[in-house]
Amino acid sequence: MIYLQLFWEYFKNYAKTRLTYRADFWIEVLSDLLFQGMNLIFILVVFQHTQSLGGWSQAEVVFVYGYFMIPYGIFTTFFNLWNFSERYIVKGEMDRVLTRPAHNLAQIVLENMDPPSLIGSLVGAVIMAISGAQLGLSFDFTDFLMMILLVLGSVLVYAGIYIAITAIGFYSDSPTGIAPLMYNIQNYGRYPVGIYNKVIRFVLTWIIPFAFVGVYPASFFLNMDSGHNSPLALLTPVVGLVFVTAALLFWNHGVKRYRGAGS
Amino acid sequence: MLAIDVEKLQKSFRVQKNREGLGGALKDLLRREYTEVEAVKQISFQIPQGEICGYIGENGAGKSTTIKMLTGILVPTSGKVEVGGYVPFKEREKFVKNIGVVFGQRSQLWWDIGVIESFHLLRKVYRVPENDFRKRLDELVERLQLGELLNRPVRKLSLGQRMRCELVASLLHNPAILFLDEPTIGLDILVKTEIRDFLMGLNKEYGTTILLTTHDLQDIEALCSRVIMLDDGSIIYDGSLEKLKSNWSKGREIQFQFAHPVKKEQMDSWTEGLNVQWRPENDLTAKMWLPHSVNVSEALSRVVGAAEIRDIKIFETNTDEIVREIYQSEKVSS
Amino acid sequence: MNNAYLDIIRIRFLTMLAYRVNYYSGIVIYAINIGAYYFLWQAIYGDQPTLGGFTVAQMTTYVAVSWMSRAFYFNNLDREIANEIRDGSVAIQFIRPYSYLLVKMMQGLGEGLFRLLLFMVPGMVVVCLIFPVTLPTSPQTWLIYFVMLVFSFLINTQINMLTGLFAFYVENNEGMMRMKRVMVDLFSGVIIPVSFFPGWLEAIMKWLPFQAITYLPSSVFTGRTEGGMALQVLGLQVLWFAVLLLPILWIWRKARHRLFVQGG
C-alpha cells in the first residue's frame, strides 16, 4: 500500500521532470518505436520472399510480435536500469538509497521508471488486434482474462532475468556486457521456437526462458487448427514467479555483499 | 544515553590488483589477484546524545567507511556498532527513520524539478504525517531563508542554496542523529557561517546529535566540542578541541609595529630573562614568539614600557597547523 | 605516424582487455546472433534454393561474416563524443597538441583491433566448425575483403562522429543516436541483405552510405561480387569515405569557431 503511494509520488515527479523537456520526449518515444519497428520490418521484408516461417504464416508471426511488445512495454516502464552499475555502484548513489526507509530495489525501480514505454505496449496491442482479425481469431471474456494473466507472467519473466543481471553489478563493477547479451537473446523469443535446434529451444524455454515472453503465451490465442498452440503457454505465470523469486534472492544477496565490501 | 556506541569496529576490503602491461592484462583475463585492505582498524568511541563531534582525517584515512557503517550502508567486518539504540546494518529500514544523512558531494534532490517536490516525495518515503511535515518545513524554511527557492529546480540553485536545501531534506523527519559528510565543501565563507549557525541552533534546541566529517577545521572550531582524529584506519586523537590545542600548539606569536626604528639587540634586552624569541621583519615591525609557559601580559608590558608602539597583533597557532603537526609526528613514530 | 596515436590504440586495447566478463559475454553475443540468424534464415528458405539472389550456403556465410565484421567496425564513438560535448570536456581537447577527432578514431580502432584479434579470429574458427560456412579460396578475395573491412570501419566511424557532433547543436541527441543505430543495423545489411528489400527501398539504399558498411564487403566475401566488380565496389567505399569527410570537417571547424567566440 505504502509502495502504491510512493509510486504515485514518484510518478508525479517524473511527469514534472518530463514536462520541462517536452521535445526530447517525443523524439525518444519515436526512436524507441523505430527500434522495435526494425524487427517488424525484418518480418515484413522476409515474408516478401516466402510464404511461411517454419510453418507459420506472416499474420501469425506478426501476431506473436504484437504480443511480445505488450509485456516488453510494461517491463521497460518499470525497469530502466541499464546504467545501474555506473550510477548506483560507481557513482555511489546506492548509499543514498540505503539511508532511506523503503526497500532498496523498490526505490531504484521507482526512481528510474519510464512510463512512455507503455506506448509500445499500446502499439503492440493494436498490431495484435489487426493480425488477429486477419487470422479470424475470436476473442471472448475468458481470453481477455487469460491475456492479463499471461502478460503478467511474461513481465515477471523479464523482471526475473533482468533483476538477476542487474544484481551482477554488486559483484563486479566493470562493464560485463551481459545486459546487451540478454537484450539480443530476448529477440529470439518472438519467433516460433520450432525453427531453432534442440539446444537453443531448450535454452529459450528453461534456462533463459524468453520463449515465455513471446511465442508460447501468444500461441494460446491462435486457432486450434493452426497446430501452433503450445501446452507450455499456461506455464508462463509459473515460470515468471519462479524466476522473479530466484532473482530477488540473488539481488538481496548482492546488496548484502555490497554492504560487506562497499567501494 | 549514548547516541553512538562503537567498539573495536573493523572493516576490511578485498581490492583487485591489475598486473602491468599486455602480458599482465592477458593474465588478469584468466585469473584475478586480490589484496586485503584494512580501511578501519579496531576503533572504539562513544558519543552521548546531544553532542556535536567532528570526525577528521586525511583522504583515505577511513572516515567515509566509518560513516557508512554508522549509517547502515556497510556491514562491519567485526566489532560492535550501535546508533540510536539500533544496530544499523540490521533492521535497516526502521533504523534509518531515526537518522539524517547529508553527503556534501552528492545530491539527494531531484535535479530538474522544484525543490519542494523532492521534499514532498521524502515526506512519503519517511511517512511523516502532513501536519508535522508542514510545521517542520515552515520552521526550517524560515531558519535557512529558503522562501523563494522552494519552487526553483535544483539545477538552477547555487551550491550554497543547494546545500541548505539538502540540509532541510535530511531533517524533514526530525531525526535524532544527523550525519554530515563534508557539509561545507566548496561553499563561500558567508554560507559556511550560516550553515554552522543553523547546525548550532539545531543542536541547542532539539538536542540533535551531529557527527560531521570535514576538511575545514573552522567547521570544527565553530561547532565541535569534541574531535576524533583518524589516520590510516586508527584513531589517533579523541578529546576536546581545547585539549588538542593546548597539548599540541607550542605557543603564539605577537607582531609589533613600532613608531621608531628598533634594533634586534634592543628587543632582546627588553625581554631578558623571558624565554622568547624576536624576529624582526623590517626596521619598524618585528614578531615575538613566546611559548605557553610565558605569561603574555608580562611580555607585553615589558615591550610596551620600553618602546612607543603603533599596533599589536596576536597570532594563535591555528588548528590546521596543529593537525598537520600531529600527522607528521604520527608518521614519524609509526 | 605520430607515436602518440599508436599509444592511444594500445591503451584502448589494454582497457578492453581489463574487462574480462565483457570479453567473454561479447563472444557469446556474437555466437548467439549468428546462430539465431542462421536458423532463422534456414526456416525462411524452407526448400527454396535461392532468395534475393543468395543461395542458402551463401546466406550462411553472409550471416557469419557480417556479424564478425560488425565486431570490428562497431564502436560507441557517437555516445562518447556527445557526452564530452555535453559535459564541456571537449573544450580542453582544443588546446591539446593533437587532433581530437583523430584521437577518437584511434580509440575506436584500438577497440576494433581488440575484437578483430581476440574475437573475430577465434569466433570465425568456432563458427566454421559449427555451421556450413564456405570461405573464399582465392587470396585476392581475402585481400580485397580486408581492405574493404578497413573502409567499413572508417565509414561507420564517420557516421558515428557526425551523429555525436550534433550534440553541438541540440541539447539532447539521444534520440538521434538511437535512430542512427537502427538505421545502420537495418540498412547496412547485417540483419537483411540489401538485395532482399523491395525494389524502391533497394534503389534508395544505392544512394546511401550504409550498404558500404556491411553489405558490399560481405558480398565480396561470399563470392557474389567478383573480380572487377569487387574493385568497383571498393571504389564506392573510398568515394563514400571522401564524401563523408566534408560534413565532419565542416561541423568541426564551425564548432571550434563557436567555442572560441563564446568561450565555451
Side-chain angles (χ1 to χ4, degrees), chain C residues 113-129:
Chain C
L113 282 176
F114 167 82
R115 294 211 208 88
L116 177 77
L117 295 175
L118 284 131
F119 228 87
M120 256 179 100
V121 174
M124 210 56 193
V125 172
V126 174
V127 166
C128 287
L129 288 176

Side-chain angles (χ1 to χ4, degrees), chain A residues 21 24 27-28 30-32 34-39 41-43 45-55 168 172-178 180-182 184-185 188 191-192 195-197 200 208, chain C residues 18-23 25-26 28-30 32-37 39-46 48 51-52 67 171-172 174-176 178-179 181-183 185-186 191-192 195-198 201:
Chain A
Y21 297 110
D24 298 344
I27 291 178
E28 261 171 54
L30 195 72
S31 66
D32 244 22
L34 255 180
F35 202 72
Q36 297 192 53
M38 187 163 82
N39 297 292
I41 295 174
F42 177 81
I43 295 172
V45 167
V46 156
F47 274 100
Q48 301 253 305
H49 299 267
T50 180
Q51 292 306 308
S52 83
L53 185 66
I168 293 174
S172 159
D173 58 0
S174 58
T176 57
I178 291 178
L181 175 77
M182 282 304 146
N184 265 290
I185 296 175
Y188 303 120
Y191 297 113
I195 66 169
Y196 303 116
N197 73 351
I200 297 184
I208 320 168
Chain C
Y19 301 139
R20 61 174 175 167
V21 185
N22 204 9
Y23 169 64
S25 63
V28 180
I29 292 186
Y30 280 88
I32 287 177
N33 274 320
I34 292 172
Y37 275 99
F39 289 113
L40 212 52
W41 282 109
Q42 292 287 313
I44 293 165
Y45 272 81
Q48 305 172 78
L51 285 183
W67 279 99
E171 201 178 330
N172 185 345
E174 182 65 34
M176 260 188 73
R178 273 198 251 177
M179 284 211 224
R181 200 158 163 183
V182 174
M183 300 231 287
D185 273 350
L186 192 60
I191 294 179
I192 324 172
S195 64
F196 273 70
F197 288 133
L201 192 56

Side-chain angles (χ1 to χ4, degrees), chain B residues 76-92:
Chain B
T77 309
S78 67
K80 174 188 147 187
V81 52
E82 229 179 272
V83 178
Y86 286 95
V87 178
F89 61 93
K90 293 177 187 159
E91 297 183 277
R92 186 187 65 79

